[in-house]
Amino acid sequence: MNRTVAGHEGGPIGRGPKRDRSYLAFTVPSPLSASNPRIQYAGSDSARWSLPTKARDRLAASAPRFELESLEVPDEVSQGTPLSVSFTAKNVSETDGQFLAALYWPTKRIADDDESRVVERQVSAGDAVTISLDIDTSYTTSEAEPVTLSIRGHVSAEREVQVRDISGTS
């Protein structure tokens, strides 16, 4: 179980929804041209894992590339009202692949991580995927102010949203 990655210490890294697994993500050159790709634990000659044939074949293919076609976010939202977000990303490559991005919305009113959503979808080469979701704004801020929604992953974008009517929130 990983306990330290890029300065994040003190607990499992990438704990998945199933308690029996942890995940560690990293960028692999694409296409991967290694003749015998494997994962090796640094500092150990014996801790090596060969990749299954299916994984080697997938890594040998060019990675899919995505472009943001549209992003719809309201200019303002009343705190406590869900923020409706919709965006479309297109796979502009000739490779089928998995689209992956995270949406981040700050929460200043609680000592917790920001409201975030991870979006994963399989997208065929040349196809587009549209994602629509609502984000909880109840804990966004203690004053009326602009707040930035961020999307990071295969596509990146930021939109500033004016949060208003904060007096009625609990």
Side-chain angles (χ1 to χ4, degrees):
M1 182 174 301
N2 298 309
R3 296 249 177 228
T4 304
V5 175
H8 300 281
E9 300 178 15
I13 303 299
R15 169 78 64 190
K18 294 182 180 179
R19 293 285 182 211
D20 60 340
R21 289 187 179 176
S22 289
Y23 298 92
L24 175 62
F26 51 91
T27 302
V28 176
S30 176
L32 183 64
S33 60
S35 60
N36 184 21
R38 63 193 175 283
I39 298 171
Q40 180 174 342
Y41 178 70
S44 172
D45 291 330
S46 62
R48 285 187 194 157
W49 300 271
S50 294
L51 298 176
T53 301
K54 185 176 178 180
R56 285 195 309 264
D57 292 347
R58 186 171 177 193
L59 290 170
S62 295
R65 290 183 336 276
F66 295 90
E67 290 182 2
L68 185 65
E69 288 194 327
S70 67
L71 172 58
E72 296 177 27
V73 181
D75 292 332
E76 61 181 39
V77 65
S78 294
Q79 184 148 309
T81 302
L83 176 68
S84 295
V85 177
S86 179
F87 68 95
T88 300
K90 183 174 183 177
N91 182 345
V92 295
S93 69
E94 295 179 8
T95 304
D96 296 348
Q98 184 171 339
F99 173 80
L100 180 63
L103 281 74
Y104 298 100
W105 179 254
T107 54
K108 294 181 181 178
R109 293 187 63 214
I110 55 175
D112 193 9
D113 292 333
D114 293 343
E115 176 79 20
S116 62
R117 300 279 183 87
V118 174
V119 177
E120 294 180 84
R121 301 286 192 281
Q122 285 298 122
V123 185
S124 298
D127 284 352
V129 61
T130 298
I131 290 96
S132 297
L133 50 88
D134 290 334
I135 296 175
D136 183 6
T137 65
S138 299
Y139 303 102
T140 302
T141 184
S142 295
E143 58 188 70
E145 65 180 321
V147 175
T148 302
L149 169 79
S150 300
I151 300 174
R152 297 287 178 263
H154 280 125
V155 298
S156 296
E158 289 186 349
R159 290 296 186 274
E160 194 171 87
V161 178
Q162 179 66 40
V163 178
R164 58 182 170 80
D165 298 332
I166 58 114
S167 60
T169 60
S170 56

